[in-house]
Amino acid sequence: MRCKGSNLTLNEPDLGVTVLHVFVSRGGESLASSSVPATGQFQDRLIVEDDGRVTLSSLTPDDLGKYRVEIQQPEDRHIQRSLRLVISEPPETIDGTLAVNKLLSPTNNSVRLTCGNFTSLGFPRVSVLWKDTRGNILPSDGFEDRSSTWIYL
């Protein structure tokens, strides 16, 4: 698992291995090799070097998937390495802060707590758990529409 925006080395070079060609694929789709640079969303971010090093930079949630690096050696020998990549993305709010609001209802003596305002719930998605001052979990109607609510009657 890596965070959004970070870099990842998919394969480190092995000093004892002679490399003829390096091939990189994701989910069966060829992405790049030591002779063909990456294109599309991977252009200038997926770098395959002659020594076998493969680096993916500036990770995005779209980079999620299973990658395979295949190294071809002299005498038709092959080394294969696989990596399943999950991108962790922090949640984002409108102004970079998390606000908790209390709304009183004069008609039914209830208190409604909401938190947000989220523009992105991130990955894995943020969840909310309300607790009282003693640490007891309070009933909640869940986390929907980028806010969570607790109602006390």
Side-chain angles (χ1 to χ4, degrees):
M1 179 174 279
R2 285 288 193 272
C3 291
K4 177 183 174 182
S6 63
N7 299 339
L8 173 65
T9 301
L10 299 173
N11 188 68
E12 291 282 0
D14 184 344
L15 299 178
V17 172
T18 301
V19 175
L20 290 178
H21 298 288
V22 180
F23 304 94
V24 183
S25 61
R26 179 178 70 169
E29 175 189 358
S30 179
L31 299 179
S33 71
S34 50
S35 59
V36 179
T39 60
Q41 74 177 36
F42 293 102
Q43 186 174 3
D44 299 326
R45 294 192 316 116
L46 180 62
I47 306 300
V48 181
E49 300 191 34
D50 292 335
D51 63 359
R53 182 186 309 270
V54 178
T55 304
L56 181 57
S57 61
S58 303
L59 296 175
T60 73
D62 292 334
D63 294 330
L64 179 83
K66 185 175 181 180
Y67 291 80
R68 189 178 79 205
V69 177
E70 182 179 340
I71 298 172
Q72 187 179 28
Q73 299 174 270
E75 303 168 5
D76 286 336
R77 294 181 61 203
H78 297 271
I79 298 173
Q80 291 187 15
R81 301 215 169 101
S82 293
L83 171 74
R84 185 171 301 279
L85 178 60
V86 176
I87 309 299
S88 176
E89 182 178 8
E92 296 177 6
T93 60
I94 291 174
D95 59 0
T97 61
L98 180 63
V100 177
N101 298 309
K102 177 172 68 172
L103 305 172
L104 300 174
S105 174
T107 58
N108 62 4
N109 289 331
S110 67
V111 175
R112 177 178 168 157
L113 298 175
T114 62
C115 66
N117 298 307
F118 290 95
T119 56
S120 166
L121 298 181
F123 182 84
R125 292 169 54 93
V126 68
S127 61
V128 175
L129 186 64
W130 297 107
K131 292 183 179 183
D132 66 15
T133 55
R134 294 182 186 148
N136 298 319
I137 298 174
L138 302 172
S140 175
D141 69 358
F143 189 68
E144 298 173 1
D145 297 326
R146 292 173 163 63
S147 67
S148 181
T149 302
W150 168 66
I151 299 176
Y152 175 77
L153 300 175

